[in-house]
Amino acid sequence: MLIVTPIDHQAAPSAAATLMRWVRSTDGQYPAEDGESAISLLPRDDELVLALPPRALSWHRLSLPRVSGPRLRAALDGMLEDQVLSEVGALHHALEPGGRPGQTVWIASTDKNRLRDWLRALESAGRPVARIAPLMWPLVAARVPGAAGATRSFAMDSPGQLHWAHIDGDQVWLASASVLGVSSVPLRDDQPLPLDALLPSANNGNDWRATDALDVWLADPLVSELAERVLQRPFDPVPPAQWLLRAGQTDWNLAQFDLSLSSGARRGQRWRRAWRQFRSAPQWRAARWGLVALLVAQLVGLNLVAWQERQSLQAKQDAVRTTLTTTFPQIQLVLDAPAQMQREVARLQQASGQLAAGDLETLLAAVDRAAGSEPLSPTRIGYDNGALRLSGWRAGEEQVRALQQALQGGGWRAQYDGNELVLQAPQP
């Protein structure tokens, strides 16, 4: 996953000197590498997430009507017309994750043309955007990057705020997120900043204010000193790469309505994110170990069954070898016990005057028994290496094939090609 954000979101994306801050992660949990570079020099990755800075978005809490598709987009324009300063037709809107018509949800709005310019610039550079995410969003419960680069859970039972001091363009800004929305104010040494300016106005007219115990104060290490001087309170430094990675971990996706991806692309994103979370997320560690234990158990079980089968087969082979050497002590070297035993039995039969299964007389007697009273007389008879060949039949083909089936039913090996019947003794 590659997460990028413009260093100055108001700069022209097509400018050669336009820089992007980026971080790449293989597991979605920890940064593998990060840096700043022009769009054409960004690393390549299968999934690129464009993270929009706080000043690029405005947030609105609305109760959606029960409509969908283009009608919902038109309804949003009508509902936001009195809440935004710019023309609503020039804005791109997106619902919060899981937001549905008929619910009260957060709506993120941004300049449509500027967003399209960033998307086109990345597409032209061979870095197509797979998802659009905010760098800050209204809070219910947040996962906040710690100073050491790990993540700590920050859950709130009452309204609280998350503050982030960062650089956007050539100005230092303090972005604040709460259950009431997101706001951004500039930080200057010569201009005091009242804390009341950090809290967005409540839509219901109530003046909610978070206590200091519930506030989290974070800053880019480059501006943490300035933020502490202006606000007279300590800030925890958070590397920009860690903050970008936080945006990649969120469920927010602003690519909706006319900027939405295909359903196949969205499914691919969900599968990749689910796989990264299962592969690396701490909460899935027990499941991963359980899967490994299951696979090891299956592998050990298969090897144990295979070992038992090999032992059983070896025992049977040893029994056959023992029977051969016990019955025929003159055999000192055993190569193929069944074949050697068959030859020794045939030799004993010949020595005692008994007919073997592959002798001519035995094969002819088998044909006579199978034919019964049917007049099936061949005109040519041949015998070679235990195979009786009968041809020139004075009977129809159906009768000869019936003879073949009768011989096969008796265990003999009989083949008929329409002209010649070949008969051999049964397999040992």
Side-chain angles (χ1 to χ4, degrees):
M1 177 193 297
L2 178 67
I3 309 161
V4 302
T5 188
I7 293 179
D8 183 0
H9 82 281
Q10 292 186 338
S14 58
T18 302
L19 293 178
M20 304 286 284
R21 183 176 290 120
W22 59 270
V23 61
R24 182 159 59 180
S25 174
T26 56
D27 56 10
Q29 302 296 317
Y30 301 96
E33 54 181 336
D34 62 276
E36 297 178 1
S37 62
I39 293 179
S40 60
L41 300 178
L42 288 172
R44 296 185 182 274
D45 198 275
D46 292 338
E47 182 179 4
L48 187 145
V49 179
L50 174 62
L52 298 182
R55 290 179 59 226
L57 295 166
S58 61
W59 298 89
H60 315 276
R61 188 75 170 166
L62 298 176
S63 295
L64 299 181
R66 294 186 179 276
V67 295
S68 59
R71 297 177 60 191
L72 177 58
R73 178 64 172 80
L76 289 177
D77 286 346
M79 299 172 73
L80 292 173
E81 189 171 4
D82 297 332
Q83 299 188 29
V84 297
L85 299 177
S86 58
E87 176 64 35
V88 290
L91 296 178
H92 169 72
H93 308 303
L95 311 184
E96 69 177 59
R100 295 290 185 272
Q103 300 176 346
T104 299
V105 300
W106 280 106
I107 307 295
S109 300
T110 187
D111 186 277
K112 182 187 301 184
N113 291 332
R114 187 173 298 277
L115 178 57
R116 287 185 183 276
D117 288 342
W118 284 110
L119 296 176
R120 280 195 294 264
L122 289 165
E123 179 78 27
S124 300
R127 276 80 172 172
V129 174
R131 186 160 63 95
I132 307 172
L135 281 176
M136 289 194 75
W137 54 90
L139 296 181
V140 175
R143 296 188 60 82
V144 182
T151 57
R152 67 174 185 268
S153 178
F154 182 70
M156 294 182 255
D157 297 326
S158 60
Q161 293 190 72
L162 170 65
H163 306 280
W164 175 46
H166 63 285
I167 300 175
D168 187 352
D170 55 0
Q171 174 67 47
V172 178
W173 294 82
L174 181 68
S176 301
S178 72
V179 293
L180 302 178
V182 179
S183 64
S184 293
V185 293
L187 287 182
R188 298 187 181 91
D189 258 333
D190 57 351
Q191 182 178 342
L193 182 63
L195 293 181
D196 291 344
L198 305 180
L199 186 64
S201 299
N203 292 337
N204 57 9
N206 295 329
D207 186 16
W208 292 356
R209 180 171 299 172
T211 63
D212 288 345
L214 293 175
D215 286 357
V216 177
W217 302 83
L218 306 171
D220 186 321
L222 296 176
V223 300
S224 59
E225 184 178 347
L226 170 63
E228 290 177 354
R229 282 200 311 269
V230 174
L231 292 171
Q232 297 297 309
R233 64 178 58 243
F235 279 75
D236 290 335
V238 177
Q242 190 66 44
W243 194 266
L244 269 178
L245 190 60
R246 173 182 180 267
Q249 295 168 345
T250 180
D251 292 331
W252 278 94
N253 187 4
L254 307 183
Q256 300 179 26
F257 298 109
D258 54 338
L259 292 181
S260 62
L261 301 174
S262 66
S263 59
R266 290 196 298 270
R267 283 194 297 270
Q269 288 181 7
R270 288 194 292 267
W271 278 110
R272 286 194 294 270
R273 293 188 62 200
W275 167 244
R276 277 198 303 268
Q277 290 180 357
F278 178 78
R279 182 184 63 185
S280 307
Q283 61 267 29
W284 288 97
R285 184 176 293 113
R288 291 195 296 269
W289 279 110
L291 179 60
V292 170
L294 178 62
L295 293 176
V296 170
Q298 292 287 340
L299 183 61
V300 171
L302 290 175
N303 285 333
L304 179 60
V305 171
W307 178 80
Q308 291 175 340
E309 291 294 330
R310 286 195 300 269
Q311 292 297 109
S312 175
L313 179 61
Q314 185 63 42
K316 293 178 180 179
Q317 292 175 344
D318 291 342
V320 173
R321 292 166 60 92
T322 301
T323 301
L324 175 62
T325 54
T326 302
T327 306
F328 304 101
Q330 70 276 15
I331 297 179
Q332 301 297 323
L333 179 62
V334 179
L335 299 177
D336 187 350
Q340 289 176 286
M341 184 174 293
Q342 182 182 14
R343 287 196 296 268
E344 293 299 325
V345 170
R347 188 177 295 113
L348 288 176
Q349 288 176 337
Q350 292 177 357
S352 61
Q354 296 181 0
L355 294 175
D359 288 345
L360 175 61
E361 294 84 349
T362 306
L363 296 174
L364 289 174
V367 172
D368 183 63
R369 287 194 301 272
S373 60
E374 293 291 334
L376 303 176
S377 301
T379 58
R380 290 188 294 275
I381 299 177
Y383 178 78
D384 183 24
N385 293 328
L388 175 64
R389 300 179 182 275
L390 305 175
S391 59
W393 294 91
R394 296 175 180 173
E397 182 176 347
E398 292 184 359
Q399 292 177 301
V400 179
R401 291 198 178 276
L403 173 63
Q404 174 195 8
Q405 293 176 0
L407 290 169
Q408 290 176 343
W412 299 91
R413 291 182 293 166
Q415 296 179 347
Y416 180 64
D417 59 3
N419 180 36
E420 183 180 65
L421 178 67
V422 180
L423 180 64
Q424 293 177 289
Q427 289 282 6

